[in-house]
Amino acid sequence: MHRTHTRLAALAVVFALSACDRPAAAPGAAGPAGPTAAENVATKAGAMGVTTLARGLEHPWAVAPLPEGGFLVTERAGRLRRVGADGSISAPLAGVPAVFAEGQGGLLDVVLDPAFASNRRIWLSYAEPGPDGTAGTAVGYGTLGADRIDGFRRIYQQQPKLEGPNHFGSRIAFDAAGHVFISQGERNDRPTAQKLDMLQGKLVRLNLDGSVPADNPFVGRQGARPEIWSYGHRNSQSLAVDPRTGKLWEAEHGPRGGDEINLPQPGRNYGWPVVTHGINYSGLKIPEAVGEAAPGMEAPHHVWEKSPALSGMAFYIGRPQSKWNDSLFLGALSGRALIRLSLDGDRITGEERLLEDRGERIRDVRVGADGNLYVVTDEPEGALLRIEPPR
């Protein structure tokens, strides 16, 4: 069993990371709160409407709008809930896998299957407990019922499992060719991100049944895991496919500085921890780092020298009547904002920070079929917000 952290070291890291991804508070009960009246808030493009649909969610991590109305919301402590359009919050759904709910671990992403309309399948990512206090990122799916998930099946687990409560990632995204991408963290064990025989710090691509695609870049390579699509990632909590082009976009936390967006290509090395724009939380240099660039390692598509702590990602496209058309939205945890990036093709042409006046950590953002944004705030009494774009 691979162990690289003592429990004391892991606890120290939790406190050091509190500014960007703090551990969950003690579990609490969620209850209905009802929507508030919409508030008009000024933006560069005009007034947006902000409605609190529900509050009382304990550190919600992801939101998935349902086509029939309402939402699925994960709480990091291990609960999956339905939230109605009226603000009602259900009891936790049964059938959810057991999670490692320590530090940054717990129940993480929830997304609807590409064929959800016919199969009612939902996907979950989570920190999966292992023996002797170890844990690793895992992903699986099951069928959504009225009050439970039926037949949950794990199709991926990060190996080997490591000790420590940090850097699990994790987001799920699908391409149009029948593949699922899974982002992860390097479990705060920096060297693992460069080791191809370990799954930490890797972006993974699988078929929807969990099998490995024959054209994955490391299939057949001795000493490399065939699930790997790209490597050298630190802690990726943002992942989305651009509907305009089919390109995968990924964003990850830097250490102290150096959050970045990448457009991951098969087999490429994205550098962590050898290249980075950040430093240690202590203020010292990352020991393995040689600088901001190195031969054979990809430069980020976009970088923040001061980390907003990125989490959640959604494209707002195909709505030419909207002033926000061709935008990319990201949540910011330590930045306590919803970031809007203006796009010209793949080029990022501007940045605007929204919801800063609320002072809440934005954990996830999704675009609904109604053209509105839906956001969850990572707080002990977290909220689900509806954002109506400027008209």
Side-chain angles (χ1 to χ4, degrees):
M1 185 180 302
H2 185 95
R3 299 181 185 176
T4 57
H5 304 283
T6 66
R7 296 191 181 278
L8 286 176
L11 287 172
V13 169
V14 168
F15 288 113
L17 295 178
S18 61
C20 68
D21 201 353
R22 67 190 178 208
T36 63
E39 176 187 2
N40 289 324
V41 179
T43 77
K44 292 178 180 178
M48 68 178 182
V50 181
T51 302
T52 301
L53 294 179
R55 188 174 286 280
L57 297 155
E58 187 205 348
H59 291 282
W61 215 92
V63 55
L66 292 167
E68 63 266 29
F71 310 86
L72 295 175
V73 176
T74 57
E75 293 177 308
R76 191 164 54 193
R79 296 180 289 270
L80 176 66
R81 299 186 188 268
R82 288 179 179 265
V83 178
D86 61 354
S88 60
I89 302 174
S90 76
L93 276 63
V96 173
V99 304
F100 177 87
E102 296 185 22
Q104 297 167 7
L107 187 58
L108 306 174
D109 206 10
V110 56
V111 296
L112 306 186
D113 188 85
F116 178 80
S118 60
N119 64 21
R120 302 292 292 177
R121 180 177 292 171
I122 68 164
W123 292 67
L124 299 172
S125 70
Y126 56 102
E128 180 183 51
D132 302 322
T134 61
T137 303
V139 168
Y141 59 73
T143 303
L144 178 64
D147 59 1
R148 64 177 296 109
I149 306 301
D150 291 313
F152 186 83
R153 177 188 172 221
R154 185 194 66 213
I155 60 102
Y156 172 76
Q157 59 179 174
Q158 187 184 69
Q159 293 288 357
K161 286 185 166 62
L162 304 180
E163 290 183 342
N166 298 314
H167 295 195
F168 293 93
S170 162
R171 297 288 177 183
I172 302 167
F174 304 99
D175 66 13
H179 303 120
V180 58
F181 290 89
I182 300 166
S183 75
Q184 304 166 90
E186 31 70 294
R187 299 289 282 106
N188 203 43
D189 185 354
R190 295 186 299 268
T192 65
Q194 292 293 320
K195 295 179 179 179
L196 293 176
D197 61 344
M198 302 176 72
L199 289 167
Q200 286 76 15
K202 312 304 189 299
L203 180 64
V204 161
R205 184 178 77 148
L206 300 173
N207 296 316
L208 296 186
D209 63 0
S211 62
V212 175
D215 61 346
N216 267 13
F218 295 105
V219 167
R221 176 168 165 176
Q222 187 173 4
R225 298 288 306 219
E227 303 96 327
I228 296 171
W229 180 254
S230 59
Y231 65 109
H233 300 290
R234 185 174 181 269
N235 189 23
S236 178
Q237 296 183 9
S238 312
L239 195 68
V241 171
D242 184 346
R244 303 169 303 171
T245 63
K247 290 181 181 178
L248 185 70
W249 289 52
E250 175 263 358
E252 61 192 71
H253 291 234
R256 184 172 165 183
D259 285 16
E260 60 188 49
I261 291 176
N262 298 298
L263 277 59
Q265 298 298 306
R268 301 287 180 86
N269 182 351
Y270 289 84
W272 177 255
V274 180
V275 296
T276 177
H277 286 251
I279 57 175
N280 251 321
Y281 295 101
S282 65
L284 299 177
K285 180 178 177 291
I286 301 295
E288 299 89 345
V290 300
E292 296 178 354
M297 296 185 177
E298 303 300 312
H301 183 68
H302 187 76
V303 67
W304 284 264
E305 298 296 338
K306 180 180 179 181
S307 293
L310 302 170
S311 187
M313 174 188 283
F315 283 91
Y316 196 90
I317 56 89
R319 301 179 185 274
Q321 76 284 359
S322 173
K323 295 177 180 178
W324 280 355
N325 192 42
D326 289 336
S327 293
L328 179 65
F329 288 88
L330 297 113
L333 298 167
S334 63
R336 298 180 181 270
L338 178 64
I339 297 174
R340 182 175 76 88
L341 300 178
S342 301
L343 302 176
D344 179 4
D346 292 342
R347 191 166 62 92
I348 295 169
T349 60
E351 176 177 330
E352 180 178 14
R353 299 206 177 189
L354 310 171
L355 303 178
E356 287 184 297
D357 59 319
R358 301 179 69 92
E360 296 181 291
R361 292 156 51 85
I362 305 300
R363 175 62 76 176
D364 195 20
V365 53
R366 306 286 171 96
V367 177
D370 57 6
N372 295 322
L373 301 176
Y374 294 92
V375 165
V376 288
T377 65
D378 180 14
E379 302 291 338
E381 292 286 319
L384 170 62
L385 308 177
R386 179 177 64 223
I387 312 297
E388 299 174 58
R391 300 189 186 281

